[in-house]
Amino acid sequence: MRIPILMPQLGESMAEATVVSIGIKPTDTVKADQDILEVETNKAVFQVTSSCDGEISEVLVERGGTYGVGAVLGYIEATEAEVEKRGLGRSVSAPATSAQLASVPLEAEEGAAMHGSPDWNPPVWATGQYASAPGQLIDKPLPSHSPAIPARGGGAANGFLSPRVRARMSEAGLKEADLAAITATGAGGRVTSDDLEKFLFQLQANEVQPAMPMRLSVSDAMRRSWSRPLATVGRLVKLDALLAHRSAQPDPKPGPALYAARALAIALAEDRVAAARLIGNKLVIPKSIDVGCAVEVEDGIMVPVLRKADTKTLRELVGPYRELVEAARKRALSPDAFAGSIASVTNYGPFDLDWATPIPLPDETLILGLGATRKHPEWDDEIEDWMPFHKATLTLTFDHRILDGGRAGRLMARIVALLEKPDSL
């Protein structure tokens, strides 16, 4: 009997995943629960396992292809006894391949032929394929596109796009934000079909490569975050006491980001409204102080969460923090490890940056940033001379609908006070 290999549901919010490696081929013998495919979502990398013992009869996917939850990835030929033993249902029909699903380009609107290019044919820019040069189409699956992004200026600034333009955009996998790069020639500054075709033709002269799921996820998160009014405040913090405290700690030693996360958690536990979310006309105040910690990974950022960070000491957080960071860098975190943070910490000091304006995630109200440590002179009234101190700039970016400058300033002052007296952490 043919048993389908299905794309599993790898998290509540997962709708699709990209195949990053294929460990099977037709005629291979597999065992139940054997890892056979590796897939990547916008959160992590997961293994797809075989549902039963049997022989691979067909593989329907290709490396780099993106497939929805429940899609048939291939088939296993199994005995009736094995199927009955595993309680498996009947096989289902294979879905169309990515190449079969690729959209056929609309014919160019009358009068939309490219100037100086009478033989030009409209390029295919669709999910599942991309053009790398004029007249050349490479069949290489792309991750699916994020939801449409509202345009900021450009040809779509007036909000009107003709049905023909919208259809061509849908076919090419474009979002309205992509039209900001187009010089519109239509009435009222709107993008015409001719404008769009010229834009697509010009793109073909450039190198084009698929954006990975992680990059698309970051893009979509930042789009949603930027829909809110965000503001940033900053101030210097003395780190001499913190550095001395850290050097006296046993291995593994807490890093600056963990000190900042612990200080932020204590400060928010004392003022939970500062981390509230505005939903409709109500403030939703968090019941748990769960703080995310930004970790740089290939082509993006992951933000695993320290649970109830206000109730655990700095030393108690060292182990869980190191495990989360290590798992994030390996892309081996479960979806639950990302959910529910009320605020985040990001350390951009290792990049030799003094100041930055990090953006909180869409479901968070604020994010604390830590800059590079520098020596700063400070006047000492007792000895009447300048003394060097190690200092770094802290930045706090927040949802201005929730916090005003005064509340943000007081929250920052409390965080600084805690960091300058690390024994309290």
Side-chain angles (χ1 to χ4, degrees):
M1 295 183 65
R2 296 180 80 212
I3 301 301
I5 304 168
L6 303 178
M7 178 68 78
Q9 179 79 47
L10 300 170
E12 293 182 2
S13 61
M14 174 194 166
E16 61 192 9
T18 300
V19 176
V20 294
S21 69
I22 302 174
I24 52 171
K25 62 182 184 299
T27 73
D28 281 355
T29 299
V30 295
K31 294 290 186 181
D33 298 324
Q34 177 181 328
D35 293 341
I36 54 177
L37 295 166
E38 191 174 53
V39 299
E40 179 184 36
T41 70
N42 58 9
K43 296 291 188 182
V45 175
F46 300 93
Q47 296 290 336
V48 176
T49 61
S50 57
S51 58
C52 62
D53 296 352
E55 181 180 288
I56 300 298
S57 62
E58 193 172 4
V59 177
L60 300 175
V61 297
E62 52 189 15
R63 188 175 179 271
T66 299
Y67 306 89
V69 171
V72 179
L73 310 179
Y75 285 98
I76 300 173
E77 192 70 33
T79 64
E80 290 189 11
E82 177 69 9
V83 171
E84 183 176 354
K85 173 183 176 182
R86 303 291 176 183
L88 301 174
R90 296 179 180 179
S91 63
V92 297
S93 300
T97 65
S98 60
Q100 293 170 330
L101 292 175
S103 302
V104 178
L106 295 175
E107 293 185 0
E109 186 174 355
E110 185 176 357
M114 298 303 302
H115 299 294
S117 303
D119 299 327
W120 177 74
N121 292 317
V124 175
W125 283 76
T127 300
Q129 295 181 320
Y130 71 88
S132 63
Q136 181 182 7
L137 184 66
I138 296 178
D139 184 11
K140 184 174 182 180
L142 282 171
S144 63
H145 294 274
S146 302
I149 297 177
R152 298 184 182 277
N158 61 11
F160 177 79
L161 294 171
S162 70
R164 180 182 291 272
V165 170
R166 288 192 179 277
R168 185 70 172 105
M169 287 174 59
S170 177
E171 170 199 309
L174 298 184
K175 303 177 285 292
E176 287 191 16
D178 299 324
L179 303 190
I182 298 178
T183 300
T185 62
R190 60 186 178 84
V191 173
T192 66
S193 178
D194 190 19
D195 297 330
L196 182 56
E197 297 300 341
K198 288 179 181 179
F199 175 67
L200 293 176
F201 180 73
Q202 292 166 356
L203 287 179
Q204 291 188 97
N206 301 282
E207 179 184 354
V208 180
Q209 63 182 20
M212 298 306 291
M214 173 64 71
R215 178 48 45 196
L216 294 175
S217 175
V218 171
S219 172
D220 183 59
M222 293 301 96
R223 172 190 64 82
R224 290 182 286 125
S225 289
W226 200 248
S227 65
R228 302 171 294 174
L230 300 175
T232 302
V233 295
R235 61 172 289 177
L236 290 170
V237 55
K238 291 182 182 179
L239 296 178
D240 295 85
L242 185 151
L243 295 174
H245 184 273
R246 182 176 186 273
S247 65
Q249 298 299 304
D251 291 328
K253 300 180 185 298
L258 185 56
Y259 278 92
R262 172 64 175 153
L264 175 62
I266 293 174
L268 290 178
E270 297 170 353
D271 183 8
R272 291 176 182 262
V273 174
R277 289 191 297 158
L278 183 64
I279 306 297
N281 61 356
K282 294 181 172 60
L283 288 175
V284 180
I285 300 171
K287 62 180 181 180
S288 178
I289 306 299
D290 300 332
V291 176
C293 299
V295 179
E296 185 183 30
V297 298
E298 183 181 1
D299 200 35
I301 299 291
M302 303 186 82
V303 189
V305 181
L306 288 171
R307 304 294 176 187
K308 298 182 178 180
D310 61 314
T311 66
K312 301 170 185 176
T313 66
L314 185 68
R315 175 46 52 185
E316 290 172 336
L317 290 172
V318 171
Y321 174 78
R322 288 173 62 87
E323 291 173 4
L324 287 172
V325 170
E326 183 177 347
R329 288 173 177 163
K330 294 179 179 178
R331 303 290 298 277
L333 286 169
S334 69
D336 292 340
F338 302 96
S341 59
I342 63 171
S344 289
V345 169
T346 180
N347 182 11
Y348 44 81
F351 309 115
D352 204 32
L353 297 175
D354 297 318
W355 177 276
T357 55
I359 299 175
L361 292 172
D363 56 348
E364 295 178 352
T365 299
L366 45 83
I367 183 170
L368 181 70
L370 180 61
T373 301
R374 313 280 190 199
K375 279 189 176 181
H376 291 258
E378 184 173 307
W379 182 260
D380 190 316
D381 289 329
E382 291 186 7
I383 64 174
E384 295 186 350
D385 198 0
W386 293 96
M387 294 292 293
F389 288 95
H390 290 88
K391 295 184 179 182
T393 298
L394 287 179
T395 57
L396 186 70
T397 300
F398 55 93
D399 185 339
H400 212 327
R401 300 174 304 164
I402 312 298
L403 283 78
D404 294 319
R407 189 170 212 142
R410 288 187 291 273
L411 183 66
M412 181 71 92
R414 179 57 175 150
I415 293 170
V416 168
L418 289 165
L419 290 176
E420 292 183 348
K421 294 182 179 179
D423 288 337
S424 61
L425 301 176

